[in-house]
Amino acid sequence: MRARVVAAVSCRLLAAWSCVLLAACLQPPAVTDLGRPVSEADTASNPISRDAGISAAWSVRESLWLFGDTSQRNGPAFLPGTTAAIGPYTRGVVPNALREVPTPPAPHSAGPSAPSPFLPQPRGLRASAELGCDGTSPYPASWPAGLARIPGTEQLLLVYAETCVFSSTDMRTQRLTLSVYDPSANLFRSTSTPFGALPLEAGLPVAEQLGSPVFGDDGYLYLFGHDVTTSKIIVARVAADPVSWGDPASYRWWSGTWNADPAAAVSIVSVPFAGSVHVADYTGLGAHRLAMIVQTEFASGRFQVFEATSPTGPWHRGPAGRVPDECGTTGYGCYALNGHAELSTPNRYLFSWYSPADLSGLGHLRLASVTW
């Protein structure tokens, strides 16, 4: 009898522990808020509000950060397009001593005490067949779509969208531009624009709105894109040299095979919503290789991380969750989710997002980490 009672109790305890273990497995991994990445110009008396927040290491010590539209008190109140900052990085740590980059080709010794325009302002964009996009409404903006270190160099490939901004809901990418940037000299060494809309005011097809450059070890440059309407996520490739990536005829899109027709591109992952997509190479961090973060719900900052060893996949689901943020109740809420390969560790994936409530409602980027 005693043996039967002990056995019964043991079975109940085992069942209880099984429930605990199952609950632990089903619980999403904790997302840790690490704080705000800032430059030395971002002070309590002169706060800076900025979004986008794409970064990449260009040397073993320093990385470059690209920001979208920037608001500030210590200078022009609003800078449309892209601003940049540069500075040291440490894995797992939020950068807090970035230096604002002056407008190229000014030397870094002339570094400003406030943000300055970084990418060239687009010329010749069209609001309509009759109206140019060169005023304040609509206005032209160069917005960052990705950057990556060019293998074997201390130069970066920057990808950006030349956009005519009509309103907060109508922003038409009219050209896609790739530039080789030398961070140490603050110079653009070359610039190519492989894709331009015809007519410009119609905007580029989604398949040509590419970003997140990744250099493969096979001699190709891979770029990724997404369609907010269909939640389709695509990949294209081109030979990894400026002559090729400047030639639209050299691009191929993945359709099960590499296809010259961008309309044939198929989705490489399945998600309920693709509000933003960022891909980078994490080779050297344990077993990690390529990682993609997708914002899977509008405004809330819900995300899904995928990993793969090849740009075409298969892409396997990694950690998922929600940014540690209330995200507000108006506008776009939380957005601009981007991974940071130079800050991540073998155990923690670091990413940033735009927090509308940060800086007492001015809005700013924040960094978070999640176990992977």
Side-chain angles (χ1 to χ4, degrees), residues 223-244:
L223 299 116
F224 298 80
H226 71 285
D227 188 338
V228 175
T229 304
T230 65
S231 300
K232 189 175 175 180
I233 299 174
I234 64 170
V235 61
R237 79 174 188 182
V238 66
D241 65 81
V243 172
S244 297

Side-chain angles (χ1 to χ4, degrees), residues 229-367:
T229 304
T230 65
S231 300
K232 189 175 175 180
I233 299 174
I234 64 170
V235 61
R237 79 174 188 182
V238 66
D241 65 81
V243 172
S244 297
W245 67 56
D247 178 11
S250 298
Y251 285 74
R252 298 291 183 270
W253 286 260
W254 182 249
S255 64
T257 59
W258 292 107
N259 197 311
D261 180 9
V266 299
S267 191
I268 55 175
V269 300
S270 177
V271 291
F273 174 74
S276 65
V277 174
H278 180 265
V279 184
D281 189 348
Y282 293 76
T283 301
L285 293 182
H288 305 293
R289 178 67 188 281
L290 302 179
M292 171 194 302
I293 185 169
V294 183
Q295 182 173 348
T296 56
E297 188 174 86
F298 179 75
S300 74
R302 193 167 295 281
F303 67 88
Q304 172 72 62
V305 176
F306 295 88
E307 291 196 64
T309 58
S310 166
T312 59
W315 289 86
H316 303 286
R317 291 179 183 271
R322 187 182 182 280
V323 299
D325 196 316
E326 292 301 318
C327 292
T329 58
T330 60
Y332 288 105
C334 294
Y335 64 92
L337 277 67
N338 294 303
H340 298 278
E342 81 283 9
L343 297 179
S344 296
T345 72
N347 299 319
R348 303 289 291 180
Y349 175 82
L350 269 70
F351 68 95
S352 61
W353 81 98
Y354 175 76
S355 172
D358 199 30
L359 285 177
S360 301
L362 288 177
H364 199 280
L365 295 168
R366 295 190 71 82
L367 273 168

Side-chain angles (χ1 to χ4, degrees), residues 25-321:
C25 291
L26 295 176
Q27 191 73 15
V31 181
T32 304
D33 188 342
L34 301 178
R36 182 190 307 130
V38 295
S39 75
E40 295 171 341
D42 193 349
T43 64
S45 58
N46 290 309
I48 300 170
S49 174
R50 55 207 333 174
D51 63 9
I54 303 171
S55 72
W58 61 274
S59 73
V60 296
R61 298 174 302 278
E62 297 211 328
S63 65
L64 176 75
W65 283 71
L66 300 181
F67 305 102
D69 289 343
T70 299
S71 300
Q72 59 176 334
R73 291 182 184 171
N74 189 22
F78 177 68
L79 292 171
T82 299
T83 60
I86 201 167
Y89 67 90
T90 301
R91 294 196 179 279
V93 177
V94 180
N96 60 9
L98 298 171
R99 307 179 302 276
E100 297 292 333
V101 175
T103 303
H108 285 295
S109 58
S113 58
S116 296
F118 179 67
L119 293 175
Q121 187 180 57
R123 304 292 182 188
L125 300 186
R126 305 296 304 175
S128 68
E130 298 77 27
L131 180 65
C133 182
D134 49 15
T136 57
S137 182
Y139 67 89
S142 294
W143 281 336
L147 73 162
R149 183 177 180 176
I150 300 173
T153 76
E154 290 194 345
Q155 297 184 350
L156 294 165
L157 177 64
L158 278 58
V159 182
Y160 59 94
E162 297 188 22
T163 305
C164 183
V165 184
F166 291 80
S167 68
S168 61
T169 57
D170 190 353
M171 297 167 277
R172 300 177 199 173
T173 296
Q174 300 188 2
R175 300 190 192 106
L176 186 77
T177 296
L178 287 74
S179 287
V180 175
Y181 174 66
D182 183 340
S184 62
N186 195 29
L187 288 173
F188 292 108
R189 297 295 184 183
S190 67
T191 297
S192 308
T193 302
F195 300 114
L198 290 173
L200 281 171
E201 59 270 19
L204 281 177
V206 169
E208 294 176 1
Q209 297 181 36
L210 300 169
S212 294
V214 171
F215 286 94
D217 54 11
D218 54 1
Y220 286 99
L221 169 68
Y222 294 86
L223 299 116
F224 298 80
H226 71 285
D227 188 338
V228 175
T229 304
T230 65
S231 300
K232 189 175 175 180
I233 299 174
I234 64 170
V235 61
R237 79 174 188 182
V238 66
D241 65 81
V243 172
S244 297
W245 67 56
D247 178 11
S250 298
Y251 285 74
R252 298 291 183 270
W253 286 260
W254 182 249
S255 64
T257 59
W258 292 107
N259 197 311
D261 180 9
V266 299
S267 191
I268 55 175
V269 300
S270 177
V271 291
F273 174 74
S276 65
V277 174
H278 180 265
V279 184
D281 189 348
Y282 293 76
T283 301
L285 293 182
H288 305 293
R289 178 67 188 281
L290 302 179
M292 171 194 302
I293 185 169
V294 183
Q295 182 173 348
T296 56
E297 188 174 86
F298 179 75
S300 74
R302 193 167 295 281
F303 67 88
Q304 172 72 62
V305 176
F306 295 88
E307 291 196 64
T309 58
S310 166
T312 59
W315 289 86
H316 303 286
R317 291 179 183 271

